[in-house]
Amino acid sequence: MTTDFIVAPDAPVSPEVVAEPTEDELAPGKAVQLLQRVLMPRPADQRKVRSLYLDEVNSGRAKSPDRFTAHLDAGWETSFATYFNAFPASYWRRWSVLDSIVLRVTVSGTCRIDVYRSKADGESMHVTGAVHNGAERTLEFELDLGPFIDGGWYWFDVTTDEPTTIRDAGWYAPQAPAEQPRLGIGICTYNRPVDAVAALTALVEDETVRDALHLVVVADQGNKHVRDSAHYPEVAAALGERLRIVEQPNLGGSGGFARTIHEAFTRSDVTHHILLDDDIQLEPDSILRARAFAAYARQPMLVGGQMLALQDRSVLHTMGEIVDRSNFFWRNAPNTEYFHDFGEESLRESPDLHRRIDVDYNGWWMCLIPRTVFESIGMPLPVFIKWDDAEYGLRAFAAGFPTVSLPGTAIWHLSWGDKDDASDWQAYFHIRNRLVAAALHSPHKHGGKLFREMLKADLRFLINLQYSTVELHHMAYRDLLAGPDGLFQGMPDSIGRAREKRATYPDGRVLANSGDLPLPSMSTAEALRFRRIPVSPVQIGKTLVKAIAHNASPVDPAARDVPELNLAFQDAQWFLLSRLDSATVGTADGRGVTFRQRDPQAFRRLLRQSSQLLRQLYQEWPEIQRRYREAGSELTSVDRWSQAFEDWGYTRV
């Protein structure tokens, strides 16, 4: 093929910007190892979802016959400054051995390609560029990673004079890694065979991803089995002997992921293992990106994928999370926000997304664990669900292995906004496992603000008429005090205990519809006086005093059968519920209601028990920490987990 290649003379140059490359400098040959493919939207992706791949504000809608090709019309300016297609240079600068990377683009038509970078504050600048005029040719731009220590991305824009085609673009390393990872995948599933097979299908439909896999382990923990799903034979045939299904009792995410880790690192030669939730939508290139990052990392480290909201797919959960040691609770990392919508604000319009973010852990919706880390710190804790991922990240960091939440490496997962697992049966695991993790890792002799905040949370649930949640908290407090021996012993039955305890109160039993109960006795107008939101400290204090006083007063007997109000989930605020005798409240997922009923005796008893138990935890905390830390190596040992798996029983399919 022939081409007429012209180097553009008019690009701005700054002291940090190199002169535009010559034709020879742009010739192929520098790109050695693929790090990140440039992806096109799927045909059915809506405009907001397309914003994750293309910034089309100054262009029309690109036509993409496949995930790696874009046909652009004349007169367009299309930017690849997007979440999935910009290159997170600051993360590679901080954590990898690379000094430079290569942008490789195959182009035909008449266009200009411009490469830009950003700084940690979001300011962008032109780096280099070239004009192409003619038949298809592959261009390579070698780019310095030097100026990215605090933050910044690389991306490229395409400005067309005539119809242009961009294909097979990608970001590459100019050198091979010291060792190519042998990659395993671990999926934990419980009665979601269709979802699990969909995740497997996403892995095998992408040939490049499929060829990179050495082992895929599915921990199948339900009675609706993955092997019985309609499309299972296709993925089984595609993976062959690389697919391993292990059917076992329901041991939660902790036991399910532990099984896949155990299989990968004790029964195969994989060097890196990626954990994936079953209820995700996968962007397959994320697997390759995590693998590449691990291959070039300066030291063994956990590589996490970020989470996008499955029900609003242009929304990023957060750029990273930490554990606040003062109260030992997870939160977004400094200089980050929750729920950024790329459909509303592009990457270039979002300065906060250009700073490099350091994290304590990554959620196990997607997280790569190197064999070296496993051999150093062992298995996850036997805690069923909740806090297993955060604790593992903290333990890894204490052993010298950091975690990165890598931008552009992501899955879609149901957002926490559609869940209320802090008050349902999972509340037991939230509290117990938070306490276990704090016993192992908190630097505070008496827990810092941990127990004070737990008492405040118990009071809030009580005045919200959520007695079952506080009962679950008490069960968690008592189980922690009983010691670490109960973690393995009680793991298979723990979910049954939690569900049974929750069902002892009306607020723990979900009804199909508020229409199954009589109409509310309180008029909307009458309820308005309770709906005023207290804002000032004085208003909040007065409202709280009234709420506590009301919870000590007798209950109208009629409220046992007739709710005073029907409330939507988002309207069930403490300052309203604390003034009522009963109300129906919608569940977070909108599928039912609970009938909350005020019980003064339960209020007093549970509040008294909360105070006593938390005081005991505070006083005995140094001894609790000693016991759990001494037991830590046993709880996370491969031998102990191996014996537990044998005791609980399993079947390899």
Side-chain angles (χ1 to χ4, degrees):
M1 292 181 290
T2 61
T3 182
D4 178 16
F5 179 83
I6 304 170
V7 176
D10 56 350
V13 177
S14 76
E16 294 188 23
V17 179
V18 298
E20 293 196 350
T22 65
E23 182 173 354
D24 289 341
E25 290 171 334
L26 285 168
K30 297 178 288 296
V32 174
Q33 179 68 49
L34 178 66
L35 306 177
Q36 175 178 320
R37 293 179 294 184
V38 172
L39 305 171
M40 304 306 155
R42 298 168 179 85
D45 283 342
Q46 300 172 333
R47 181 192 62 82
K48 286 184 66 176
V49 181
R50 290 177 66 86
S51 68
L52 297 171
Y53 302 93
L54 298 173
D55 186 341
E56 298 172 306
V57 172
N58 297 318
S59 71
R61 185 182 177 98
K63 298 177 177 64
S64 302
D66 56 49
R67 296 298 309 279
F68 312 107
T69 304
H71 298 308
L72 310 177
D73 286 349
W76 285 7
E77 183 179 327
T78 304
S79 178
F80 291 82
T82 58
Y83 179 74
F84 276 124
N85 284 331
F87 187 79
S90 64
Y91 290 79
W92 286 85
R93 169 68 170 86
R94 170 63 179 87
W95 298 112
S96 83
V97 299
L98 296 178
D99 296 320
S100 64
I101 49 106
V102 177
L103 170 63
R104 191 173 193 266
V105 184
T106 298
V107 59
S108 63
T110 302
C111 70
R112 177 176 175 84
I113 296 177
D114 287 295
V115 180
Y116 294 86
R117 76 169 182 89
S118 63
K119 299 194 295 184
D121 61 2
E123 180 185 353
S124 62
M125 60 181 62
H126 184 267
V127 176
T128 187
V131 169
H132 177 78
N133 184 10
E136 184 175 274
R137 179 173 177 171
T138 297
L139 312 176
E140 292 185 357
F141 301 84
E142 186 162 12
L143 305 166
D144 180 26
L145 287 177
F148 291 97
I149 193 64
D150 291 327
W153 302 68
Y154 271 124
W155 67 85
F156 68 98
D157 292 354
V158 180
T159 306
T160 61
D161 289 333
E162 300 294 339
T164 296
T165 296
I166 300 291
R167 71 172 182 87
D168 295 334
W171 305 91
Y172 287 76
Q175 65 198 56
E179 181 183 6
Q180 290 286 358
R182 295 186 296 276
L183 188 63
I185 300 288
I187 298 175
C188 168
T189 186
Y190 174 74
N191 284 345
R192 284 178 170 149
V194 174
D195 290 341
V197 171
L200 293 171
T201 301
L203 292 172
V204 302
E205 284 184 339
D206 189 310
E207 182 179 356
T208 306
V209 174
R210 184 177 70 243
D211 291 346
L213 303 179
H214 280 65
L215 176 70
V216 177
V217 183
V218 178
D220 190 348
Q221 305 188 116
N223 52 26
K224 299 176 182 177
H225 292 301
V226 170
R227 56 185 163 85
D228 296 328
S229 182
H231 297 288
Y232 173 74
E234 289 96 317
V235 298
L239 289 169
E241 294 183 355
R242 292 178 292 173
L243 177 61
R244 191 178 300 171
I245 307 290
V246 183
E247 296 176 356
Q248 65 182 25
N250 182 17
L251 305 175
S254 168
F257 284 131
R259 165 63 76 179
T260 75
I261 293 170
H262 189 272
E263 292 285 319
F265 291 137
T266 68
R267 301 189 73 251
S268 84
D269 65 347
V270 303
T271 59
H272 298 77
H273 187 61
I274 295 180
L275 305 177
L276 294 175
D277 258 343
D278 58 350
D279 55 341
I280 62 169
Q281 181 174 326
L282 180 66
E283 179 53 80
D285 202 61
S286 295
I287 301 296
L288 301 179
R289 297 178 187 195
R291 177 180 182 269
F293 199 88
Y296 287 96
R298 293 177 181 272
Q299 63 190 109
M301 63 189 304
L302 280 66
V303 182
Q306 297 181 341
M307 189 184 91
L308 295 157
L310 187 59
Q311 67 273 49
D312 194 0
R313 292 175 53 219
S314 61
V315 175
L316 177 68
H317 173 60
T318 183
M319 288 287 280
E321 293 183 301
I322 62 171
V323 174
D324 185 342
R325 305 306 197 276
S326 68
N327 60 359
F328 218 84
F329 198 62
W330 51 50
R331 52 155 291 176
N332 60 309
N335 303 303
T336 67
E337 62 175 356
Y338 281 115
F339 309 125
H340 178 86
D341 190 346
F342 286 101
E344 301 296 330
E345 289 184 293
S346 69
L347 181 62
R348 287 185 291 186
E349 297 170 327
S350 308
D352 288 346
L353 300 184
H354 294 254
R355 183 193 296 257
R356 193 194 76 249
I357 302 300
D358 295 330
V359 302
D360 286 334
Y361 71 97
N362 198 90
W364 281 0
W365 48 74
M366 179 184 175
C367 187
L368 177 147
I369 299 174
R371 177 180 286 271
T372 304
V373 176
F374 162 80
E375 291 175 344
S376 175
I377 71 172
M379 297 282 287
L381 285 175
V383 292
F384 197 82
I385 55 170
K386 307 301 179 187
W387 280 91
D388 48 343
D389 48 11
E391 189 282 329
Y392 201 85
L394 293 174
R395 190 167 11 126
F397 185 83
F401 304 109
T403 297
V404 61
S405 290
L406 185 60
T409 300
I411 52 86
W412 286 272
H413 190 283
L414 188 67
S415 171
W416 314 137
D418 272 7
K419 300 181 180 181
D420 188 29
D421 57 15
S423 64
D424 65 11
W425 59 268
Q426 297 173 81
Y428 166 74
F429 298 100
H430 270 291
I431 295 299
R432 188 201 63 177
N433 299 346
R434 179 182 174 189
L435 288 168
V436 170
L440 292 168
H441 300 288
S442 174
H444 299 289
K445 183 178 179 180
H446 290 284
K449 297 186 292 186
L450 174 62
F451 302 115
R452 185 170 67 225
E453 291 208 356
M454 284 188 167
L455 182 60
K456 288 167 61 178
D458 283 357
L459 177 59
R460 184 176 67 252
F461 282 117
L462 289 173
I463 64 178
N464 272 341
L465 315 184
Q466 293 173 288
Y467 306 115
S468 66
T469 302
V470 180
E471 281 280 20
L472 289 169
H473 289 184
H474 292 176
M475 189 167 81
Y477 303 152
R478 294 187 180 101
D479 285 354
L480 182 89
L481 287 164
D485 292 344
L487 290 177
F488 268 114
Q489 296 170 5
M491 192 170 175
D493 300 325
S494 57
I495 183 174
R497 291 177 57 226
R499 288 184 182 276
E500 183 179 354
K501 178 67 71 174
R502 174 166 162 77
T504 59
Y505 288 90
D507 65 275
R509 298 189 290 269
V510 177
L511 308 175
N513 196 319
S514 59
D516 296 338
L517 298 169
L519 293 173
S521 61
M522 185 179 293
S523 69
T524 303
E526 186 181 359
L528 286 176
R529 60 195 176 101
F530 296 145
R531 291 180 180 268
R532 297 189 186 95
I533 302 174
V535 177
S536 70
V538 173
Q539 290 175 326
I540 293 172
K542 287 182 177 180
T543 305
L544 182 59
V545 169
K546 291 178 181 179
I548 295 174
H550 181 67
N551 272 276
S553 65
V555 175
D556 181 357
R560 299 292 187 197
D561 301 313
V562 181
E564 290 186 305
L565 285 177
N566 295 149
L567 296 175
F569 175 78
Q570 63 267 29
D571 295 331
Q573 302 294 328
W574 70 270
F575 52 84
L576 172 57
L577 278 165
S578 63
R579 309 296 296 278
L580 301 176
D581 283 348
S582 67
T584 64
V585 177
T587 56
D589 61 6
R591 295 180 178 274
V593 299
T594 58
F595 186 18
R596 301 188 193 178
Q597 302 174 26
R598 188 167 65 85
D599 185 338
Q601 290 183 340
F603 178 88
R604 290 191 292 269
R605 173 176 54 83
L606 293 171
L607 183 58
R608 182 175 62 254
Q609 291 176 354
S610 288
S611 300
Q612 292 170 346
L613 287 166
L614 289 168
R615 185 183 303 113
Q616 183 181 358
L617 285 168
Y618 175 84
Q619 292 170 344
E620 298 180 14
W621 191 243
E623 174 62 16
I624 291 169
Q625 287 190 302
R626 183 193 66 78
R627 292 169 64 195
Y628 277 85
R629 291 177 182 183
E630 286 183 354
S633 59
E634 173 73 8
L635 293 172
T636 59
S637 76
V638 175
D639 290 343
R640 183 67 181 88
W641 272 99
S642 299
Q643 184 59 54
F645 285 137
E646 293 294 331
D647 293 342
W648 293 327
Y650 62 90
T651 302
R652 288 194 179 91
V653 179

